[in-house]
Amino acid sequence: MIMILVFGGTTEGKKSAEILDFIEEPYYYSTKSKVETPLKGKLISGVMEPAEMISFCRKNGIRLLIDAAHPFAVRLHKNIYEAAQQLEIPVLRYEREYNESQHLQNVTFFDSYEQLTAALLKSNFQRILSLTGVQTIPVLKDVWESRTCFFRILDTTLSRQKAAQSTISTEWIIPMTPTDDVDELLKLAKQKKAQILLSKESGVSGFMASKIAVSEQLNIPLWIVKRPVLPNFNFTVHSEKQLLQHLYILRKGILKKDGELRAGFTSGTCVTAAVKACFIALAEGAFPKSTEVFLPHGEQTRFWIFPEWISEKSAACTVIKNGGDDPDVTHGKEIGCELKLTPKNDIRFLQGKGIGKVTLPGLQMAVGEPAINPVPRKMITEALETLAAEYEMDTGFEVKPFVPEGEALAKQTFNPRVGVVGGISIIGTSGKVKPYSNEAFLSTIKYQMSVAYNSGCEEVVLTSGKRSENRLRSEFSYLPDTAFIHFGNLVGDSIKLAVQQGITKINLALMLGKAVKLAEGNLDTHSKNVQFNPAFFAQIASECGYDDAIVSQIGKLQIANAVFPILPVAKNIFFYQEIARRCYRVCQVLMPDYNVFKFVLLLEGTHVFAE
C-alpha cells in the first residue's frame, strides 16, 4: 500500500525520491508537468487544487505529504497545507539550504517581483541577465519590453515552449543546464555584456554561490527576489540525512504497516557500514553513496553514507540507524566511525564521542575497553581484512566509532547499571534487530547479572520495571545499583539466568496484575501470551473462605486491580498473602536448594512477602 505523496520537480524532489527508493518505501511522485524519470515511484502530473488533493489522498490511503516543491511555488504550498489540514495528516517539508548573503556588497534583496520590476524601470541598467527561470518571463514583461533582458532557461522542450508562449523574442532566450561552474556563468555574463544579474533566492541547490561569485568578479549588482514565507508545516528538513532520519521515525508511527513488524539493524552493523565506506574513501579518494554489509548469518543490507571528512590517512562518515519497529533509543540517530591507517599491521578499537567505556567486570569486554561487543568487532575486522586484500593494501587500522548523541542516549539504557559510562554500547549478535525480541532483552539481562556477580554482588532484586524498583529501593538500600535488574515479563528466564550466573539470593517483585498471572503458573506474563484470568482469581478467593457473593464479583472483574474496593488490603491481607505464596511456589521450583528466594507482592501502600 502506498502511503506517501511527494510533490517534486526539483532537486529536493529527486533526492526525496532517491531516499524513498533506497529504503524501499513506495510513493507517488507529483509534478506540475509530465516528466520522464527513472524513479521507482508512481508518477502523476497536473495541478491539484485542495479538493483534488483531498480526494486523491483518501482514495490512495496517503498518510504523509512530502513537499519538496520549489520555494516559489506559493500556490502549491498553500494547497498542500489546506489539504493536509482537512485530511489531518502531516506534511514534511524538504526545504533547500540557503547561504547567508544578506550583507554582501553587490547584493540587494526585494520582497516581490513587482518591487524588483519597479526598481529596474527606475534604474539606468540597459543590459540585464535574468537567472530567474522561464516561469518569470511573463512576470518581468515590463522589463524586457523596455530593456535588453536575457533569460537563461532550462534546456528542455517544455521550457522552450513556455518561453515561446510569452511572445518574447528567441534572441533573448538562452537554453542551458544550470551548474555551479562559476567560469561558465562568468563567460555567459561577459558574452551578453550584462550590467546586472537577476535571481530568485534559490539556495544552495540553485547555485546561489556561483551567482554571487560572478557578481563580485564583474563588480556588477545581483538583485534577488526573496523566497516567500511558507505555511507552518509539521516537519522541515534541509538535507538528505535529516529526511532519512524523519522517515525512519515516521515508520514507527503514521507509516507503520498494519499487522507487520519491520526488522532493523544493530549498531554494530551500522559501524561496519561506516568503516567500509571510510576504507573505500581512503582507497579511491571519494566516499561511495552507499555500502553493503554482510551479516553473520549470510544476509546482506545496504546503508546510505553521509561523509564527514577525508584526509590522506583517515576518514570519517555516518549512517542513520534503522532499528525497525523495535523500541530502540538509537533508532533514527547518527552512528559513525573514523578510520585511520597505521603502520602497524593490526586493528585497534578506540572510544569515540558518545561510545561508552567499560568500568566494571562481567561484560564481554575488559575493563577500560570501549564498549564494542565481540560480534561487531569480528564483523569490522573481517570487512577490513577482506577490503585490504582486495585493494592490496598492507596497513593497520584504528577504528574509532562515534555516536553524536550517544552520551545523552545512554541515560535511557541500562548502560549505567552495568558500568558502561560515557555513551552507548556497540552491540549485536546477528547484525539484525528483531522487533520486540526476547533474545535481545534476555541478552541485556544476562549482562546485568554478570556485572552484578563479578562486582561481588551475590544478591539481586528482580523487578518488572523502574516503577517497581522505586517501590523497593528503601527495602534493599544496602544493595548497589547493579543489583537491581528489570525483567519486563520474563520471570522464568530471568530466574534461570540468575541461577546460572551463580547468584545465591534472589528477590523478585511484582505488582498485582502480573502476580495473578504468575500465581497461575505463567512464567512469561506478557499480555500476548497470557490474559488476566478472573475465574482463577475468584478461585483463590473461594479457597480463602470468601462468600459466594464476593467470589462472584471477583469472577466478573476485567483487571486485577479492580479487586481493591472489594477486598481492601488492610482488612484482607491474608488473601494477598496467599497470592504471594502461590507466586513463590511457582518460582521456587526453578532454583536449587542452596538458593535463597523471596517473593514480594507490591500493593497499594504496602508490600507482602513470601519466603
Side-chain angles (χ1 to χ4, degrees):
M1 177 186 292
I2 296 176
M3 298 185 286
I4 299 175
L5 172 58
V6 180
F7 293 92
T10 57
T11 301
E12 291 72 30
K14 291 176 182 176
K15 288 180 179 179
S16 299
E18 286 176 5
I19 289 286
L20 291 168
D21 287 344
F22 187 81
I23 64 175
E24 299 181 341
E25 193 74 50
Y27 60 95
Y28 287 99
Y29 189 79
S30 173
T31 54
K32 184 177 181 180
S33 304
K34 191 173 182 180
V35 297
E36 295 297 330
T37 173
L39 304 176
K40 295 178 183 177
K42 290 190 177 181
L43 304 180
I44 58 174
S45 61
V47 175
M48 281 199 285
E49 295 299 329
E52 294 170 287
M53 284 187 195
I54 291 168
S55 175
F56 180 88
C57 291
R58 285 176 174 162
K59 180 180 178 181
N60 293 282
I62 302 298
R63 298 185 194 174
L64 173 68
L65 301 177
I66 297 180
D67 180 359
H70 197 283
F72 282 81
V74 177
R75 180 181 169 189
L76 176 57
H77 301 312
K78 182 174 179 291
N79 289 348
I80 292 170
Y81 181 78
E82 288 183 10
Q85 290 290 102
Q86 292 191 51
L87 290 164
E88 296 184 340
I89 62 175
V91 179
L92 193 162
R93 168 64 183 166
Y94 189 172
E95 180 64 273
R96 57 187 57 183
E97 295 180 90
Y98 293 90
N99 289 330
E100 182 60 48
S101 55
Q102 297 279 352
H103 306 295
L104 294 175
Q105 183 177 355
N106 292 327
V107 176
T108 304
F109 280 86
F110 296 86
D111 292 327
S112 66
Y113 281 102
E114 291 76 16
Q115 193 181 77
L116 174 71
T117 298
L120 283 169
L121 294 177
K122 288 180 182 179
S123 74
N124 295 320
F125 300 120
Q126 295 299 316
R127 297 186 69 84
I128 301 164
L129 177 56
S130 178
L131 309 171
T132 54
V134 71
Q135 301 281 11
T136 62
I137 294 176
V139 179
L140 295 173
K141 186 173 182 179
D142 289 346
V143 176
W144 54 262
E145 283 187 337
S146 60
R147 312 288 170 96
T148 301
C149 186
F150 298 95
F151 285 87
R152 187 185 70 178
I153 68 172
L154 291 175
D155 189 10
T156 64
T157 302
L158 181 61
S159 289
R160 287 194 188 91
Q161 289 173 348
K162 287 183 177 179
Q165 291 168 4
S166 68
T167 70
I168 192 172
S169 174
T170 55
E171 65 180 301
W172 311 127
I173 299 301
I174 310 166
M176 60 188 298
T177 301
T179 69
D180 60 354
D181 188 332
V182 173
D183 291 337
E184 182 182 79
L185 182 55
L186 189 63
K187 180 181 177 181
L188 176 64
K190 286 179 178 179
Q191 184 186 55
K192 300 304 179 184
K193 299 178 182 178
Q195 297 172 317
I196 184 171
L197 303 177
L198 307 182
S199 178
K200 297 176 287 192
E201 191 178 8
S202 53
V204 174
S205 61
F207 312 121
M208 183 58 70
S210 62
K211 298 171 187 177
I212 293 170
V214 170
S215 167
E216 290 176 344
Q217 289 188 42
L218 294 178
N219 195 26
I220 61 175
L222 172 61
W223 285 9
I224 301 172
V225 177
K226 291 180 183 178
R227 65 187 185 275
V229 177
L230 296 178
N232 187 23
F233 293 128
N234 303 83
F235 315 102
T236 300
V237 300
H238 298 276
S239 67
E240 293 168 275
K241 182 190 293 184
Q242 292 175 353
L243 175 64
L244 183 56
Q245 288 179 301
H246 274 72
L247 287 172
Y248 278 152
I249 292 167
L250 291 171
R251 272 182 164 183
K252 284 193 170 185
I254 58 169
L255 298 179
K256 186 174 176 63
K257 295 184 178 179
D258 297 336
E260 179 182 330
L261 288 175
R262 304 192 211 215
F265 299 95
T266 64
S267 54
T269 303
C270 293
V271 173
T272 304
V275 166
K276 287 190 68 174
C278 287
F279 183 99
I280 293 169
L282 290 169
E284 300 183 0
F287 280 97
K289 195 162 192 176
S290 64
T291 53
E292 193 173 68
V293 176
F294 291 89
L295 306 182
H297 297 315
E299 188 179 347
Q300 61 189 58
T301 185
R302 297 187 70 82
F303 286 83
W304 196 279
I305 301 300
F306 299 99
E308 293 277 308
W309 49 263
I310 181 173
S311 66
E312 184 181 354
K313 294 291 184 181
S314 63
C317 68
T318 64
V319 301
I320 304 302
K321 169 75 176 290
N322 172 20
D325 284 318
D326 202 55
D328 181 355
V329 299
T330 56
H331 177 72
K333 302 297 183 181
E334 280 188 90
I335 294 180
C337 191
E338 176 187 345
L339 182 68
K340 183 177 180 181
L341 305 182
T342 64
K344 293 183 179 180
N345 196 17
D346 63 359
I347 298 175
R348 294 182 61 222
F349 289 88
L350 305 178
Q351 179 188 12
K353 177 180 172 60
I355 301 297
K357 179 183 285 187
V358 178
T359 64
L360 293 176
L363 294 176
Q364 294 175 297
M365 298 79 67
V367 171
E369 279 285 302
I372 308 168
N373 282 13
V375 171
R377 289 180 186 234
K378 185 172 183 290
M379 286 175 66
I380 293 166
T381 298
E382 289 178 350
L384 286 173
E385 289 175 345
T386 300
L387 286 167
E390 181 182 335
Y391 282 82
E392 298 181 349
M393 291 175 62
D394 186 16
T395 181
F397 302 95
E398 284 184 356
V399 178
K400 186 189 285 187
F402 62 87
V403 180
E405 299 178 58
E407 190 169 356
L409 293 171
K411 295 175 182 177
Q412 304 173 48
T413 72
F414 290 109
N415 274 11
R417 292 287 178 92
V418 296
V420 174
V421 300
I424 68 162
S425 303
I426 301 301
I427 59 174
T429 54
S430 66
K432 200 168 184 179
V433 177
K434 296 179 181 178
Y436 299 94
S437 165
N438 284 352
E439 178 186 354
F441 192 41
L442 282 172
S443 179
T444 301
I445 296 171
K446 184 177 180 180
Y447 289 151
Q448 292 181 81
M449 298 283 189
S450 176
V451 169
Y453 181 79
N454 284 279
S455 299
C457 186
E458 296 186 3
E459 179 179 5
V460 294
V461 179
L462 307 181
T463 67
S464 60
K466 189 68 177 175
R467 183 182 169 200
S468 300
E469 177 192 324
N470 290 339
R471 292 275 305 272
L472 283 175
R473 274 288 184 170
S474 59
E475 297 283 347
F476 299 94
S477 58
Y478 56 90
L479 291 175
D481 286 348
T482 51
F484 292 84
I485 298 171
H486 300 168
F487 57 78
N489 291 288
L490 305 178
V491 178
D493 288 328
S494 298
I495 292 173
K496 291 174 184 176
L497 286 173
V499 171
Q500 290 170 12
Q501 186 59 63
I503 292 171
T504 56
K505 190 170 183 180
I506 301 170
N507 306 285
L508 189 142
L510 281 176
M511 293 186 183
L512 185 61
K514 292 182 188 293
V516 173
K517 295 179 182 179
L518 177 61
E520 195 176 3
N522 299 295
L523 290 165
D524 182 344
T525 59
H526 198 289
S527 56
K528 70 179 182 181
N529 299 317
V530 57
Q531 299 293 321
F532 166 65
N533 183 356
F536 172 72
F537 206 20
Q539 179 186 330
I540 296 175
S542 177
E543 292 175 5
C544 286
Y546 289 99
D547 61 37
D548 291 344
I550 289 178
V551 170
S552 177
Q553 273 187 280
I554 294 173
K556 296 175 183 177
L557 297 179
Q558 299 297 310
I559 58 172
N561 284 358
V563 78
F564 292 131
I566 303 171
L567 300 176
V569 175
K571 295 182 179 179
N572 298 273
I573 197 68
F574 61 93
F575 171 72
Y576 299 102
Q577 287 173 336
E578 176 58 24
I579 295 171
R581 281 192 290 269
R582 294 190 183 212
C583 289
Y584 174 87
R585 289 196 293 268
V586 170
C587 295
Q588 202 273 332
V589 298
L590 300 175
M591 285 170 276
D593 294 338
Y594 60 79
N595 269 93
V596 176
F597 176 62
K598 178 189 291 184
F599 179 82
V600 186
L601 177 59
L602 304 174
L603 300 169
E604 294 180 342
T606 188
H607 313 322
V608 173
F609 296 89
E611 52 187 311

